[in-house]
Every structure is written in structure tokens, then in C-alpha cells.
Amino acid sequence: MKRISTIIILLAVLMVGCKSEKKINSYEDIYSERPTVIYLAPIYDKAERKVEKYPTDIEYNNELNYAKAYLYQTLSAPLINNGYYVIGPVASEQIAQDKNLTPKQLRNGDLSDFRNTYGIDAVISVTLHKWKDENGKKTAFLEYQMRSTKTNIDLMHTWVMAVKQVSTNLKGDPITLSNDTRFAKRFGMDNGTAQRCFLVEKVNDYVLRNLPTSSLRRQFERDQYQNANPSYIKYQWIDGGADVENCSAEEYETNAFL
């Protein structure tokens, strides 16, 4: 009997340890400040390009450039679906030119002028640290930061190691799957570009859809006890579905910065 009780206690401890943080805790400041107007800062793209000596180098660089643009274009949809008002692309471009802030200033500096001049409640900045292609996988290392223009604090800060498994034949050449073909055809992309764009769009949706529903909607407090995303995420898209798990800061930093 004593042994059974010990096992039950251990299982209870493990269950508590595995519980995810709730939104009311992870996004406490969002529930407090109730931001509704969001500005999307330009993508800070730190991914290394190749010296263009061969046609494949140009193709690779074009893939990364297109993926960067698509990463930015697909940020707004999950926010709008959650009820936020997102500053449009033309106005956002004008704001970026007027403010002319460095990525460091956007991530650490005073943002109060965004609130005072434009009525913006929060700024979302995305850093694309690195692309890594190996073993039939395309991996993007992304960092999402949402900062308050009222208090300059982080309302959300998430790091994602995003992986797209690319099927290959016996020779190691990529096999184009039907889903990838449809996606590429829809936007007139080549296969390599489509793989990257598909991945960043899925990750944008996963990260930003987890934010609390905007306070403009009646559902604002409804999901506060739902699970929040962890700060470090490993997101893998394999065979038509997503596999998501926690990623340690050490694993992320080792792969992203070394």
C-alpha cells in the first residue's frame, strides 16, 4: 500500500510539472493593458546570403528574400482574426520611414512616441536569425517580440526553431509533395521558395494565434485559462501536420548563433 501511495504521489508531481503556463499568467500584461492597435515593424533579417558566383547561389538568395517578404505579409492575418487592428502595409512603411529606428531601438528603446503620435498600443518585431538547410530539412530560427508603447515592457517574447521536412528520393533530390505543389502553384513560386514560405506562414499563425483575443471582442477573457505557448518552441512540419514541443534556450542558441 505504501508503494502504491508513493507511485501516486510521483505521478501527481509529474503531472504538475508538465502543466503548461496559462495565458492569464504568460500574458498578464496584455490582459492588464488591453492593447488593440498593433504596428508590425520591418523584419530584421540576419540570415546569411551566399556570394553569387553560380546560378544556384542566386536562386538560394532569391528564396530567402522572398521568404522574408512573405514572413512579413503573413503576420497580420492571425492578429486580425483575433480581433486586433493592425496598421496597414502602406501606413506601416510610412511610419518605418518617419521613425527610422534601428532594430536595437525597436527591441529595447522608448516606444512612447508610437502611442503619442499614431495611437499604437503595441509593436511587434520579428527577427529571422538564420536559415539552415541540411539532411532534407529547412530550418528557420525566428524571434517574436511584442512590446507595449505605454510601458515599454515585453508583452510577448517567443523564440522558435521552425523545421520543414523536405522529402527526398534515393539520390537525395527533393520530392515535391502535392500540398507543396498546390501552395507553389497558388503563388507562382518555385519549390524551394514555397517550402520556406509555407513554413514561416504556419509559424506566424501558431505563435500569434496564441495571443489573447483582443479586448475589442466579448471573448477577451474567455481563453485566459487556456494553455499559453512556451517561450522557446521547436515547431516541425512533417507529412502534412505540425509537431510542436518545448525547446530549451540552450538548444535554440546553440543552433541559431553558432
Side-chain angles (χ1 to χ4, degrees):
M1 185 69 181
K2 183 178 180 181
R3 183 180 178 187
I4 294 175
S5 298
T6 302
I7 292 173
I8 292 174
I9 292 171
L10 286 172
L11 287 173
V13 171
L14 287 172
M15 288 178 68
V16 171
C18 291
K19 282 185 178 179
S20 299
E21 193 79 13
K22 302 304 180 185
K23 289 187 178 183
I24 187 63
N25 298 317
S26 290
Y27 304 127
E28 178 182 1
D29 293 309
I30 292 181
Y31 285 106
S32 175
E33 295 193 14
R34 298 177 170 234
T36 57
V37 181
I38 309 295
Y39 166 67
L40 301 173
I43 302 297
Y44 183 27
D45 188 359
K46 300 174 67 178
E48 185 177 357
R49 271 41 173 193
K50 293 183 177 180
V51 178
E52 296 183 348
K53 295 182 178 179
Y54 307 102
T56 52
D57 298 329
I58 298 174
E59 291 172 6
Y60 177 83
N61 291 345
N62 287 340
E63 285 183 16
L64 267 57
N65 292 336
Y66 203 110
K68 171 190 174 181
Y70 196 75
L71 171 62
Y72 185 80
Q73 291 168 13
T74 53
L75 284 171
S76 59
L79 294 167
I80 293 171
N81 289 338
N82 262 356
Y84 292 95
Y85 177 80
V86 180
I87 303 295
V90 176
S92 292
E93 185 177 355
Q94 186 61 54
I95 291 173
Q97 292 176 2
D98 292 344
K99 302 303 295 177
N100 195 28
L101 297 180
T102 65
K104 183 177 181 180
Q105 290 172 319
L106 283 168
R107 285 151 183 77
N108 302 299
D110 181 18
L111 301 180
S112 60
D113 195 45
F114 282 91
R115 184 180 188 86
N116 299 332
T117 304
Y118 307 107
I120 293 168
D121 300 313
V123 173
I124 291 181
S125 303
V126 179
T127 302
L128 176 54
H129 288 288
K130 182 180 180 180
W131 276 104
K132 183 165 71 172
D133 295 13
E134 62 179 12
N135 300 325
K137 296 178 181 179
K138 294 186 185 297
T139 305
F141 295 88
L142 298 155
E143 178 182 353
Y144 294 80
Q145 185 180 19
M146 180 180 184
R147 295 185 64 212
S148 165
T149 61
K150 180 180 179 181
T151 57
N152 288 316
I153 63 173
D154 281 359
L155 301 175
M156 179 269 290
H157 207 154
T158 304
W159 292 260
V160 185
M161 181 164 63
V163 182
K164 176 73 163 65
Q165 181 70 53
V166 182
S167 300
T168 57
N169 58 25
L170 295 176
K171 295 181 179 179
D173 297 324
I175 299 173
T176 305
L177 302 179
S178 57
N179 286 338
D180 295 333
T181 300
R182 284 194 294 269
F183 185 86
K185 187 176 181 179
R186 177 184 171 194
F187 295 102
M189 301 175 183
D190 59 84
N191 182 52
T193 302
Q195 300 278 359
R196 299 182 199 278
C197 290
F198 182 88
L199 178 62
V200 297
E201 181 178 15
K202 288 293 183 182
V203 174
N204 277 344
D205 183 69
Y206 181 81
V207 172
L208 299 178
R209 183 166 40 88
N210 189 248
L211 291 173
T213 304
S214 166
S215 61
L216 295 173
R217 292 185 175 175
R218 288 179 298 175
Q219 302 94 325
F220 174 57
E221 295 181 342
R222 246 183 228 180
D223 64 349
Q224 59 185 323
Y225 295 107
Q226 298 297 318
N227 291 339
N229 287 339
S231 296
Y232 287 86
I233 301 167
K234 187 173 184 179
Y235 180 101
Q236 300 184 82
W237 187 271
I238 304 172
D239 294 332
D243 180 22
V244 184
E245 60 188 53
N246 288 8
C247 173
S248 69
E250 181 181 6
E251 180 183 4
Y252 181 93
E253 291 168 4
T254 299
N255 286 280
F257 305 131
L258 296 180

